[in-house]
Structures are given as structure tokens and as C-alpha cells.
Amino acid sequence: MNCPLCNSAQLQLFHDQVWSIDDGKVFRCGQCDITFLSPVMDDEQERRFYRQYNEHVKQRGVAASGSPQELHEKSLAAARERYAVISRFFAGAESVLEIGAATGAFLQQLENPFRCAVEPAQDNRQFSGQFANRAFADIEEVPEDLKFDVICMFHVFEHIRRPVEFLQKCLLRLRPQGGRVVIEVPNIADPLISLYGCTAFKDFYFQPMHPYVHSVESLRKVFGEAGLREREVICYQRYGLVNHLNWLAKGKPGGNPDWQRIFGDGQDYKEALVRQGLTDTLFYVAET
Ligand SMILES: [Zn+2]
């Protein structure tokens, strides 16, 4: 077997279980540093999987949303938190395209004059229309003469099986000078993996929806290959100490009022992780 991204044979078994599938394994490439699942779904399996996506999401303990309105309300807090981290990359941009916009909770935060959404799920796409000038079902439907100042995607890039090809599609729709791509992805340096090696977490974390889990290094390779220049990397820690203690003590996520009382919001803990680059989340910003 070779790395699906760089074709190197220099691979290491990283974990021997993938959530919800039999005989799934996780490998890490010694050449490009990508962590990837094997086997990976083919086009038909992927179509079938996404048709039952709500079912999978429900099984993972995230309540399937009854309506776009409900999903939207649940998404707003995360959208605001995200915008607080990256708002400066949107300042002054005339046009923004969000890929995988869901109901438009992030687009709603923006004040840029021209905003567009790509969202495959029809009901969410229709809902996002109130925050977007135009909404498309697929990147291929976005006219190439719309040159955006910023293209962004949050927890989308790790779903994409051919990331270089995908970035090239983005590039065709990006302002050729100073156009910007802003992404947010899960980071393989997540402390529950890299610091604590929590098996229960890894069993849950590696999932068929994410053929890849990126690191700063693998993002550099992928974006570089697509012809984009790195502008900034932001390590961001979303989950706090109490969540980590739950994983370590009970093998599952959750809160605990007693621990919360002792450790508070754990801001120092998060900051320490950020200083080491051992965070659950990465923002990567690149430019044309
Ligand atoms: Zn590789």
C-alpha cells in the first residue's frame, strides 16, 4: 500500500480501529505526514453513506436536527466562536464563498457585501439563502467568473478525498492576486491522541467520513502542491480540561460539575496546549 496523497510507501500503522466499520485501519505517512483511513469509501459507498448521514450523526450522539431552523440555532454559538478567531481574514473582502455552509450560521456573522454558499443538502441550502446572495449545491456550479476574495470551509476539508484537486477548483474561483482560502480542520495533534494516547477517544475519532486527518505539515504539502502560499496557521483548542478528564476517566465525552467547580473554565490549560501546538483544531490560511 502507498500513501493516497503522496504515494510514499513509508507508512506506519497509527490505529487499528475505525468507528462503525469492520477491519478499518488508520495509517500515517512518513513522507507527507497525512493520517489516512484504509480502506477508504469509493464513490458509490460514499453516496450511500451520505444518504444516511443523519443516522450516522445520531449514532455519534449528536442529536439529528428536525429542521434547518433547529440546526441553525444549535450552530450559532460555534459560528460566533469561530468568527471571533478569524474575523481579521474577512475584513475588507468584497466577496466571500463558504463551502459546506449548512444553514449559513457563519455567513450570518459576516458583513461582507457579496456572500455565497455551497451546500449540498437542499433544505439547509434553502435556509442559508437568507444570509447568502447566492447558494449552490456544488462547487462545480459556482461560475468561474465569480472571483472571490475569500473562500472558506469549516470541518469540510477532512471529508475531501482528493484535496489537491479540490483546492484547484477553489483556485479557479479565487481572485488571482491576494485571494484567500481559510479552512478549519481537526488536528491530528489533538492532545487526547498526541499527549494522552486515549484509546477510547481514538476508537471514536477515526470515522469513515474523514478519509484524512491533517497536521500542519500535511496541510503545507497539500496547499503547496495546489499552488497556494501559506499566510498563517492558528492552533486552537476547542475542548477543555473537563472534557479531557471525562475521556480519560470514563472513555467518553461529557461534563462533570465537580471537576468544573475545581478547575473552572480551564483557560490556562487551553493556552498551554496552544503554546505547544497540541490542539484539537487547526485554522490554515493561504493566499494566491
Ligand atoms: Zn504521504
Side-chain angles (χ1 to χ4, degrees):
M1 184 174 54
N2 295 73
C3 171
L5 211 54
C6 77
N7 210 35
S8 166
Q10 201 189 316
L11 305 176
Q12 222 175 17
L13 181 65
F14 192 77
H15 192 58
D16 60 3
Q17 197 161 318
V18 175
W19 179 80
S20 83
I21 58 171
D22 300 329
D23 63 39
K25 297 212 177 341
V26 183
F27 293 89
R28 190 156 183 180
C29 175
Q31 190 62 43
C32 71
D33 201 41
I34 195 75
T35 304
F36 64 93
L37 304 193
S38 177
V40 84
M41 290 189 279
D42 61 27
D43 290 341
E44 177 48 35
Q45 286 168 320
E46 197 172 76
R47 261 194 298 277
R48 225 179 310 135
F49 187 87
Y50 280 101
R51 269 203 296 272
Q52 303 165 344
Y53 193 59
N54 275 353
E55 205 43 51
H56 292 287
V57 169
K58 215 190 308 179
Q59 278 171 24
R60 288 181 65 81
V62 182
S65 165
S67 67
Q69 178 68 41
E70 198 184 324
L71 174 63
H72 189 74
E73 282 160 18
K74 281 184 188 152
S75 311
L76 278 172
R80 289 193 193 104
E81 184 179 353
R82 175 172 297 142
Y83 187 61
V85 179
I86 53 171
S87 61
R88 65 185 189 279
F89 300 112
F90 293 81
E94 289 286 317
S95 54
V96 175
L97 172 67
E98 184 183 359
I99 298 170
T103 57
F106 183 78
L107 289 172
Q108 190 183 2
Q109 312 304 312
L110 301 179
E111 285 166 5
N112 310 77
F114 186 69
R115 301 184 296 271
C116 294
V118 167
E119 173 49 46
Q122 193 193 356
D123 49 352
N124 289 343
R125 183 171 66 250
Q126 274 168 353
F127 192 93
S128 77
Q130 41 188 318
F131 314 111
N133 299 79
R134 294 177 71 179
F136 306 90
D138 190 280
I139 177 101
E140 307 271 13
E141 289 178 15
V142 180
E144 288 179 24
D145 59 350
L146 289 180
K147 299 293 187 196
F148 289 92
D149 293 324
V150 182
I151 295 181
C152 58
M153 51 195 129
F154 309 112
H155 291 270
V156 167
F157 201 62
E158 67 276 17
H159 292 254
I160 293 166
R161 278 187 291 137
R162 288 180 279 275
V164 175
E165 212 174 283
F166 186 80
L167 283 176
Q168 283 159 348
K169 285 181 196 170
C170 294
L171 261 173
L172 292 172
R173 293 155 176 92
L174 206 55
R175 182 156 57 88
Q177 299 261 301
R180 195 171 286 167
V181 177
V182 180
I183 69 161
E184 178 185 348
V185 288
N187 184 6
I188 194 64
D190 189 307
L192 285 167
I193 298 172
S194 66
L195 207 52
Y196 308 129
C198 177
T199 303
F201 181 73
K202 288 193 268 187
D203 290 348
F204 177 80
Y205 185 80
F206 296 108
Q207 48 179 294
M209 301 81 122
H210 299 170
Y212 296 116
V213 185
H214 284 277
S215 67
V216 175
E217 200 183 326
S218 72
L219 289 174
R220 283 188 174 136
K221 292 259 162 66
V222 169
F223 276 76
E225 204 176 315
L228 284 147
R229 283 182 302 122
E230 181 174 307
R231 157 92 186 249
E232 202 166 321
V233 180
I234 300 169
C235 292
Y236 185 75
Q237 182 60 29
R238 196 170 294 281
Y239 287 100
L241 179 60
V242 172
N243 172 276
H244 286 178
L245 288 173
N246 260 289
W247 272 110
L248 294 169
K250 298 174 186 165
K252 57 182 190 186
N256 179 309
D258 294 333
W259 298 347
Q260 194 75 44
R261 212 165 27 248
I262 297 168
F263 298 112
D265 65 359
Q267 199 52 40
D268 293 349
Y269 176 70
K270 287 186 179 179
E271 283 166 16
L273 294 171
V274 168
R275 281 195 297 276
Q276 299 294 321
L278 301 176
T279 58
D280 52 20
T281 305
L282 278 178
F283 289 93
Y284 193 85
V285 183
E287 284 179 345
T288 50

